[in-house]
Structure formats: C-alpha cells, structure tokens
C-alpha cells in the first residue's frame, strides 16, 4: 500500500464546474496536510494547507480533512483553464515536517 | 524576495561520473530539504537540514549521495559515482523555523533535471 494514494486521472471538468480531488494517506500520525499544484516542467507550488478536521476555504479553493478516515480533499470552484495542472497531496511527517507526496492527480479544465 | 534557486537546471552525465547540485534557499530560511522525483514515480524526500545540521537523512538512497550545507546557507548534493537509476528531477525546498514545524510552508525551487547515460 502506498503511503499517499491519489487517482492519477486525468480528471476532466468543463470550465466553471467544480473539480474534486481526493487523497488518502496511511500514516495516522500525520498532522499537517498540503496541496501543491505543479504545472508541467515546473516546481510544486503550495495551494492550500490544512491542519484540523473540517473544511478550510481560500478563494475558489476548499480543503477538507477527515483524520479518522485518513482522507483529505481539495475542491476547486469555478474551474478555469489555468487550473489545468497536476495536484499533489502531501501529508507531513515527523517533527522535521518532511513531506510525503502522492503521485498527483492531473486536472484538465476544458473550454 | 528571491525564491529558492537551483543550479544547474539540467545536467547530463555518464554513468560513473560525479555531479554536484546546488540549492540556494530563501534568505533567512533555516530549514532546507532535498527531494527527488524519478520518472513515473512520486516525489520522494531525501534529507532535511536545520541550518548546517542534518536533521533527517532517512531518505538518502545510499552512500553515493552526499549532502552538505556549510555555514547554514546554500546546500550541495553530490552524487558520486552516478548510476543510471539516479536520473530524475532533484528539488530543493526551504522553510522558516517558526517553532511549529508542522505548519511551516515549504517553498520549492525549480529543480535540477539529472540524466545519467
């Protein structure tokens, strides 16, 4: 079993729709969870971070965390073509905050 | 404010040669991390510096990899001798030490693409 599981996609949504990206993780002691966006050939860029169970909203993005289910998700409202990228789920581990990445979900927002 | 920078952006070497990658973190960031992505796989943690000290090197694949951070500023990652399976993209990230490690945001550099022939 992988430490972080994501559907690789591609996930295709029409412009203006809601994109839902999901992630499960195996390490129960993970405390912090990060969503990074990575455009092809570029470096990962932080989109959202969440530390407590429940929802956290920032603009068009909402992160959801359920530690009991070891599940974290990212919702993107009013999806734009510029949102087309690979989204990486990354729980942090240990006192040093090292990140464990999933393989990422490729999102395609179509006109 | 300048972001994390890495040099070189690309490196092509032959098996058995030595390569040194450099990372300059964001000024003032005590935490520096090295990660690697090999083709088709997820990004994997290699090691973590706090200032000049190695905090966690549990992800280093073997003793052909040597990381240093003299003076607690920039870091180098040397691969000697390089093998075919070392090919991939090496990312560096840095974060401030805010006293709560778990909430630190890691900012990533553009990566170095290493190809071993």
């Amino acid at each position: 079993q992988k430490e972080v599981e994501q559907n690789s996609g591609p996930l295709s949504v029409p412009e203006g729709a809601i994109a839902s990206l999901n992630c499960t993780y195996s390490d129960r002691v993970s405390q912090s969870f990060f969503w990074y966006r990575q455009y092809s050939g570029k470096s990962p860029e932080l989109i959202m971070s969440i530390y407590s169970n429940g929802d956290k909203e920032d603009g068009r993005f909402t992160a959801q965390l359920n530690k009991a289910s070891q599940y974290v998700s990212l919702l993107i409202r009013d999806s734009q073509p510029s949102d087309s990228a690979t989204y990486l789920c990354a729980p942090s581990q240990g006192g040093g905050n090292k990140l464990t990445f999933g393989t990422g979900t490729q999102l395609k927002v179509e006109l | 404010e300048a972001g994390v920078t890495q040099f070189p952006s690309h490196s092509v070497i032959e098996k058995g040669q030595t390569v040194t990658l450099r990372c300059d973190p964001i000024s003032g960031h005590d935490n520096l991390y090295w990660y690697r992505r090999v083709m088709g796989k997820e990004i994997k943690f290699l090691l973590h510096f706090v200032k000049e000290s190695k905090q966690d090197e549990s992800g280093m694949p073997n003793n052909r990899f040597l990381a240093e951070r003299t003076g607690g500023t920039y870091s180098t990652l040397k691969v000697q001798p390089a093998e075919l399976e070392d090919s991939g993209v090496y990312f560096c990230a840095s974060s401030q030490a805010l006293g709560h490690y778990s909430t630190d945001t890691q900012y990533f550099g553009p990566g170095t693409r290493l190809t071993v022939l």
Side-chain angles (χ1 to χ4, degrees):
Chain A
Q1 181 189 12
K2 287 186 176 181
E3 292 181 82
V4 180
E5 297 265 12
Q6 294 183 258
N7 188 325
S8 61
L11 172 66
S12 293
V13 300
E15 184 178 6
I18 295 175
S20 178
L21 306 166
N22 305 313
C23 170
T24 57
Y25 60 95
S26 61
D27 187 354
R28 287 190 171 274
V29 302
S30 293
Q31 292 296 313
S32 303
F33 304 85
F34 302 87
W35 281 99
Y36 281 84
R37 177 177 64 196
Q38 188 176 26
Y39 294 111
S40 181
K42 302 295 184 182
S43 59
E45 172 193 11
L46 183 69
I47 296 296
M48 288 284 289
S49 58
I50 186 166
Y51 316 113
S52 303
N53 282 327
D55 296 359
K56 178 182 177 183
E57 185 175 319
D58 184 1
R60 296 187 296 113
F61 300 95
T62 298
Q64 300 173 315
L65 174 62
N66 183 327
K67 291 185 180 180
S69 301
Q70 295 173 250
Y71 173 86
V72 60
S73 67
L74 179 69
L75 299 178
I76 305 175
R77 288 181 298 282
D78 188 24
S79 295
Q80 301 297 309
S82 59
D83 294 327
S84 298
T86 295
Y87 289 80
L88 303 167
C89 171
S92 70
Q93 293 182 329
N97 202 30
K98 67 182 180 184
L99 299 176
T100 302
F101 285 90
T103 53
T105 298
Q106 185 183 6
L107 173 66
K108 292 184 177 180
V109 181
E110 299 167 334
L111 296 171
Chain B
E1 179 185 274
V4 177
T5 58
Q6 293 186 245
F7 182 83
S9 57
H10 293 84
S11 180
V12 181
I13 61 173
E14 294 194 349
K15 176 182 172 181
Q17 290 186 320
T18 297
V19 63
T20 300
L21 314 180
R22 174 171 169 145
C23 168
D24 286 77
I26 293 172
S27 178
H29 280 194
D30 289 338
N31 294 296
L32 187 150
Y33 304 82
W34 283 98
Y35 294 88
R36 175 176 75 170
R37 185 172 205 164
V38 297
M39 188 166 15
K41 301 287 188 181
E42 62 273 22
I43 297 172
K44 290 276 198 183
F45 166 82
L46 295 178
L47 88 159
H48 169 210
F49 283 100
V50 177
K51 297 183 179 179
E52 68 276 8
S53 300
K54 290 177 186 175
Q55 177 81 7
D56 181 356
E57 52 184 328
S58 60
M60 294 287 264
N62 51 61
N63 59 10
R64 294 185 294 104
F65 289 75
L66 175 64
E68 294 181 324
R69 192 182 182 196
T70 306
T73 53
Y74 71 91
S75 175
T76 58
L77 179 64
K78 182 162 69 175
V79 185
Q80 179 183 29
E83 298 288 346
L84 299 178
E85 63 264 26
D86 299 332
S87 296
V89 181
Y90 290 76
F91 290 105
C92 174
S94 73
S95 71
Q96 285 184 307
L98 299 177
H100 295 283
Y101 276 130
S102 64
T103 61
D104 266 359
T105 294
Q106 293 183 33
Y107 298 90
F108 280 75
T112 293
R113 182 174 296 277
L114 174 63
T115 303
V116 183
L117 303 176

